Amino acid sequence: MKTIDELLAEGVSGKRVFVRADLNVPLAGTTITDDGRIRAVQPTIAKLAAAGARVIVASHLGRPKGAPDPAFSLAPAAARLGELLGQDVAFATDTVGASAKETVAALTDGQVAVIENLRFNAGETAKDDAERGAFADQLAELADVYVGDGFGAVHRKHASVFDLPARLPHAAGYLIATEVGVLKKLTSDVKRPYTVILGGAKVSDKLAVIDELLGKADRLLIGGGMAYTFLKAQGHEVGISLLQADQIPTVLEYMERAKKNGVELVLPVDVLVSKDFPDLKTKAPADFEVVDADKIPADKEGLDIGPKSRELFASKIVDAETVFWNGPVGVAEHPDYAGGTTAVAQALLDSKGFTVVGGGDSAAAVRNLGFDETKFGHISTGGGASLEYLEGKTLPGIAALEV
């Protein structure tokens, strides 16, 4: 894989460099609530601009279904990027139309432009190779060189991620190089003990990575909504908690395999339960009680791991040499149910090992809960991409850069 430093050594002054970034930031109207992904790609863009490149930044945001939708405009991201770079950033109001062509043509050396949401064009996500390729051809006309740095999208076989690199000289940006380097530490030559914490709502979303980790991790800690399928598989009452009953046979097989492989599978021993799901808009005080994990009332829902579980999870994290965490272990958006996720994050900070927060909701939780993200070994920008890498899958966006 060609690096951006090699590209810079060859010279990019005056060249139009297309940077496939991941500016898929959460928005409240037009207000960015977490700019982590923009800050993550800033070093690549800044270095190219400083070297005299005419930088064209492209990304998706949300799922606008192949047509323009103002709710998913990249205009707020472009404005924030300009603030971070300390220079004006031009914005094209389309992807490959008149505005994009005019905006790119007006760039001078060292200037940066952002084109509108790639997913406003159906060709970006098309399953048909010809349709996707036709859109990639149009994007290629805008640039001389391609730099892939949108790690959060590399597991997608999309035009700007997979097809466009084949049409232009290409290199990996700093973010992708860092992300791949980190993930290699989690899959080869791993320092042990190796602890993995998995949370989130659905166990079905994590089955493939659990399957792979049962042969790699030393400890597997399960929290979040997915934990209740494991507890049900053990024969416990889970009340009205999130449950995927159809996954119980698979979970039972995984639990047996963990035992056979010597992998310590750790489940919550107590949980916070309530009859009502918390109000996430006003964050009004929640009405809950703490019960043992095998004594969840039939009319209540588990919403966070309890105090004893937090201590248990922390004890399995702090002495680990390698830690990977993906997914909150409770409804962390509400302060009354954020205690478990806070405890996990703090345990990662207390660990002297190499710690990785695996993107997505867990990365957002770390920031929203007020932790200093620089204290973690690495916070990934791509939860889905990280998981698929750990599953052993080939990531299209990485494969395209290696050709």
Side-chain angles (χ1 to χ4, degrees):
M1 186 186 297
K2 188 174 185 177
T3 68
I4 189 172
D5 286 330
E6 291 174 301
L7 180 67
L8 290 165
E10 293 171 358
V12 293
S13 182
K15 292 183 178 179
R16 300 170 301 163
V17 180
F18 187 105
V19 178
R20 201 333 179 160
D22 179 9
L23 308 180
N24 186 27
V25 292
L27 295 171
T30 58
T31 302
I32 296 170
T33 57
D34 181 0
D35 67 354
R37 284 176 169 161
I38 303 175
R39 287 185 287 108
V41 76
Q42 178 195 353
T44 290
I45 296 169
K47 198 70 176 283
L48 288 166
R54 304 177 182 192
V55 186
I56 306 137
V57 183
S59 175
H60 69 287
L61 192 153
R63 298 181 178 179
K65 300 181 180 178
D69 184 338
F72 297 106
S73 175
L74 279 173
R80 180 59 180 147
L81 177 61
E83 292 172 356
L84 292 169
L85 291 172
Q87 68 180 79
D88 291 336
V89 169
F91 181 67
T93 57
D94 56 27
T95 55
V96 291
S99 179
K101 291 174 183 175
E102 290 169 6
T103 301
V104 171
L107 289 175
T108 59
D109 295 359
Q111 290 189 326
V112 179
V114 174
I115 62 174
E116 188 54 284
N117 193 334
L118 291 163
R119 291 185 184 173
F120 284 3
N121 189 304
E124 169 67 2
T125 59
K127 298 204 182 319
D128 180 74
D129 291 348
E131 184 180 355
R132 219 175 47 247
F135 183 50
D137 287 340
Q138 291 179 290
L139 291 172
E141 291 177 6
L142 297 174
D144 305 305
V145 181
Y146 176 93
V147 171
D149 216 25
F151 182 73
V154 293
H155 58 313
R156 306 295 188 191
K157 193 177 181 181
H158 291 170
S160 65
V161 175
F162 179 74
D163 302 274
L164 186 54
R167 288 158 168 77
L168 294 169
H170 50 267
Y174 291 121
L175 176 60
I176 278 186
T178 298
E179 294 273 15
V180 172
V182 165
L183 288 170
K184 285 182 178 178
K185 291 183 180 180
L186 300 177
T187 53
S188 58
D189 194 27
V190 180
K191 293 185 178 180
R192 299 185 182 279
Y194 179 17
T195 294
V196 176
I197 312 104
L198 296 177
K202 295 181 179 180
V203 68
S204 57
D205 293 340
K206 304 285 181 12
L207 286 178
V209 74
I210 293 172
D211 184 59
E212 188 72 17
L213 288 169
L214 286 174
K216 291 189 169 70
D218 298 302
R219 301 164 182 161
L220 192 53
L221 282 51
I222 305 293
M226 61 186 290
Y228 301 102
T229 300
F230 280 83
L231 291 171
K232 187 70 173 179
Q234 290 183 324
H236 302 314
E237 170 67 59
V238 297
I240 56 173
S241 305
L242 278 172
L243 174 66
Q244 289 185 285
D246 61 320
Q247 300 299 334
I248 288 176
T250 302
V251 165
L252 282 168
E253 191 271 322
Y254 284 176
M255 292 168 75
E256 183 61 32
R257 186 140 53 94
K259 186 177 180 180
K260 181 180 177 181
N261 291 352
V263 176
E264 187 178 3
L265 185 61
V266 183
L267 298 175
V269 293
D270 61 344
V271 294
L272 274 60
V273 297
S274 176
K275 288 185 178 180
D276 301 306
F277 193 81
D279 183 343
L280 298 180
K281 288 188 176 180
T282 66
K283 294 183 172 55
D287 180 19
F288 65 85
E289 64 175 317
V290 179
V291 300
D292 290 343
D294 60 354
K295 293 182 176 62
I296 298 175
D299 61 345
K300 294 192 175 182
E301 177 179 12
L303 296 164
D304 193 14
I305 62 173
K308 289 186 288 187
S309 299
R310 296 169 195 176
E311 290 183 13
L312 174 63
F313 278 33
S315 71
K316 305 297 182 181
I317 294 169
V318 293
D319 68 339
E321 289 294 328
T322 305
V323 184
F324 174 75
W325 171 34
N326 182 277
V329 296
V331 186
E333 304 96 313
H334 192 285
D336 289 335
Y337 299 113
T341 299
T342 300
V344 168
Q346 185 60 53
L348 262 72
L349 291 182
D350 293 340
S351 170
K352 292 181 172 55
F354 179 62
T355 58
V356 179
V357 180
D361 292 338
S362 41
V366 163
R367 297 186 183 103
N368 293 336
L369 292 171
F371 286 93
D372 181 352
E373 59 190 285
T374 65
K375 301 297 184 182
F376 296 89
H378 180 69
I379 297 183
S380 178
T381 57
S386 295
L387 288 178
E388 290 200 13
Y389 190 99
L390 293 183
E391 290 167 21
K393 290 184 178 179
T394 296
L395 306 183
I398 300 299
L401 294 174
E402 291 175 337
V403 176

